[in-house]
Amino acid sequence: MKSYRTHIMLCAGTGCVSNGSFKVKDALEREIQKHGLQDEVGVVMTGCNGFCAQGPVAVIKPDEIFYQFLSVDDIPHLVEEHFLKGRPVEKLMYIPPSEKAPVPKMGDIGFFGKQRLIALRNRGMIDPEVIDEYIARGGYSALVKALTKMKPRQVIEEIKQSGLRGRGGAGFPTGRKWELVAAAKGDKKYLVCNADEGDPGAFMDRSIIESDPHSILEGMVIGARATGASHGYVYIRHEYPLAHKRLIKAIAQAREYGLLGKDILGEGLDFDISIQQGAGAFVCGEETSLIASLQGDAPEPRVRPPFPAEHGVWGAPTNINNVETWANVPEIINKGAKWFAGIGTETSKGTKVFSVVGKVENTGLVEVPMGITLKEIVFDIGGGIPKGKKFKAVQTGGPSGGCIPASLLDLPIDYEKLAEVGSIMGSGGLIVMDEDTCMVDVARYFLEFLKDESCGKCTACREGIDVMHGILERICQGNGKEGDIEMLQELSEAVKDSSLCALGGTAPNPVLSTIQYFRDEYESHIKEKKCPAGVCKALITYTIDPEACKGCRLCAKNCPQDAITGEAKEPHIIDQDKCIKCGVCFDACKFDAVLVK
Amino acid sequence: MSKIKPQDLEKIRVRMARTMSLRDGDAQAKITVHMGTCGIAAGARKIMSALLAIVEEKDTKDIVVTTSGCAGLCSREPMMTVELKGQAPVKYIELDEEKTKKIFSDHVLSGKVVKEYALAIGSERVG
Ligand SMILES: Cc1cc2nc3c(=O)[nH]c(=O)nc-3n(C[C@H](O)[C@H](O)[C@H](O)COP(=O)(O)O)c2cc1C
């Protein structure tokens, strides 16, 4: 191993890769070579750093300098200044919104400062494709402990005492589930890692696999020790090629080292893992559908009980956990249940990974202790709402989560608190919405997704969501009627009560929560035929304010319908019969003269 | 690669220690070579190469070598600053490879400041 003096930890998560991080890598290596620094400065491709909005990003070790928006053109200057002359380059550093001075060090940037990494403990610190780097940071030592110093019963007890709950949505206590599988009768038992991650906009699980695949493998081998399972499956969606590739590589390396396969570490445990790719249907993430899909059957949920713990893959006792749940396991075994239980709230221990997206400055992936408030996530970590707009709501838990209003921003996040306000933890999606978001349209949008993703087995879910979506669409088109709100509420109860799985069980959340907190918006749509946020096309008109219009012709030139007329330097007019409400004029106008009502 | 036993994990950790301590940022010693235009002209690159060669040769784990800009005393380059954990930084001036080796073995490895090459102990006050 060369004695590099500096490591450039360049992010190779999916977000940064699509913004060109491999091109940046080539440029870096080229310039490093040019200055003869190839034996001093090494480039390490890491998993997702989390600050995806600023990508491609890199962290320089040991100085801890954080660089963002790297492009090939920046590299010659960067290499000469920072890596040859030791002068960090300010113009590539992060500048907080509404401030002027850059923040050089990663730990001083608000986005990173409030995070606590357990599941993502190795993110950005290792090359995920090198098993030795995982081992160097304590990897597989928890497995050694579980195999040589603990009985299966003690491993289960440790996980139980830690208070770890499933990170895939339902929040079931992980230790209890392991206990059930360990106690179930059967000569063959299975483990499953649920990496289906069907929530649109969520990428927690993908990032964990991309940045630290061995943490999941180690968690599963410990699970095998605890439950007596002899084989594990990772069920991963087909749209995750990079995560899939890293997983294949990690499994091969673990096998070579004898950390998977027969007689693991010479301690007598036999356990291997294979990968199964799913086609990416939302319902495939539901455990009974997933098992059906794994066996080659149609992915439809079935009645529980029997639970997978008794009757799972190929009819055998099966323990299924989410990616993030598995990734927590080695740390709990290493540091102890007490340590883990000391983080979080009364009912929810440890941390949770969220993908923060939507109308927020710092979109990306964050891991925070349970009990952190929504305000801290949206404003301290997320950096607040762009363009000085007002915060309106945050939706947690994916498409079937509820929308939580500004009045509840101080809510500490845990499984129970989120349920109390009509939302769910889900798997950790978090969508921030600003004042320009129409909440009726939001409900319509998520129901459209859920309507398409319903597998159709249960009538209430298949037909109920469709009818609810139809009503919402009607309201958005200006054809809402008195009684629609009540009808939506009634249908919600029916869908929740008569669906086998939580797809139907939670689908009404976006509707119920928006009615609860934003009823006035529904009423404006229905009674006054107005969309207060100016989103629903049928309910808005674009006009030009003759006072503000300078007659610059920019809107007229951009209008795809030629609906705008007027002489240069004279106020323009929009022909309402031709206007298709695309909003191009609104975006084009430099004088805020285009009005939406 | 062959199959490993529990005790082999520790061997891998030891082998990887230098690489990883660079990333953890809690090294025992930090050596900064001043690489302004003046430093480079005076031969700072040679000092850097010499340092990295010694680090490799002695197989030290907990030492980071880094660069920074001109230290403001261009006539006395090449310069470097040695900072042991918990101690005041020491600036060395007018270095060559021999002096670098001596500073490394006396100061960095044994904690004894090499007074005859040192300019001053401590850094400027900032602000
Ligand atoms: C419609 C639907 C989709 C789901 N999608 C996922 C998913 O993508 N990933 C996941 O881990 N769990 C998902 N679940 C939850 C699983 O059924 C199951 O509870 C989870 O995998 C158990 O692991 P855990 O206890 O570690 O959370 C979904 C559930 C439902 C009802």
Side-chain angles (χ1 to χ4, degrees), chain A residues 550-553 566-572:
Chain A
K550 301 263 191 276
C552 73
R553 306 242 357 115
E567 295 300 313
K569 303 209 170 85
E570 299 285 330
H572 294 1

Side-chain angles (χ1 to χ4, degrees), chain A residues 1-7 9 35-37 40 44 61-64 82-87 125-127 132-133 135-141 144 255-258 265 267, chain B residues 1-6 8-10 12-13 15-25 33-37 40 45 48-49 52 55-57 64-70:
Chain A
M1 175 91 21
K2 281 188 213 152
S3 329
Y4 291 120
R5 62 176 163 84
T6 292
H7 282 163
M9 312 300 282
H35 290 285
L37 295 169
E40 299 177 19
V44 183
K61 302 278 179 178
D63 342 21
E64 290 292 311
H82 191 155
F83 304 118
L84 181 64
K85 298 182 176 168
R87 290 193 292 235
M125 294 297 280
I126 63 170
D127 180 337
D132 283 0
E133 296 202 359
I135 292 174
R137 283 183 54 84
Y140 289 108
S141 58
V144 168
R255 282 193 191 133
E256 273 194 68
Y257 268 175
L265 285 162
E267 296 293 328
Chain B
M1 275 200 293
S2 58
K3 299 219 185 310
I4 59 173
K5 296 269 175 298
D8 296 328
L9 286 180
E10 187 52 32
I12 295 172
R13 247 173 259 137
R15 173 156 53 79
M16 298 293 292
R18 196 191 313 134
T19 304
M20 302 318 279
S21 76
L22 194 58
R23 300 188 196 161
D24 290 336
V33 181
H34 298 276
M35 286 271 197
T37 307
I40 294 174
R45 289 300 309 277
M48 175 57 85
S49 310
L52 291 175
V55 167
E56 185 117 329
E57 182 195 313
V64 305
V65 180
T66 174
T67 60
S68 82
C70 168

Side-chain angles (χ1 to χ4, degrees), chain A residues 554-565:
Chain A
L554 198 57
C555 58
K557 274 189 212 138
N558 279 292
C559 176
Q561 294 299 100
D562 292 328
I564 303 177
T565 49

Side-chain angles (χ1 to χ4, degrees), chain A residues 166-168 177 194 197-198 282 285-287 320-322 325 502-503:
Chain A
R167 301 300 194 233
K177 200 143 81 176
N194 187 344
E197 195 158 51
F282 183 56
E286 193 281 330
E287 56 188 22
I320 172 162
N321 278 126
N322 165 261
T325 313
L503 197 159

Side-chain angles (χ1 to χ4, degrees), chain B residues 30 39 41 59 61 78:
Chain B
K30 181 171 153 191
D59 200 24
K61 303 276 182 303

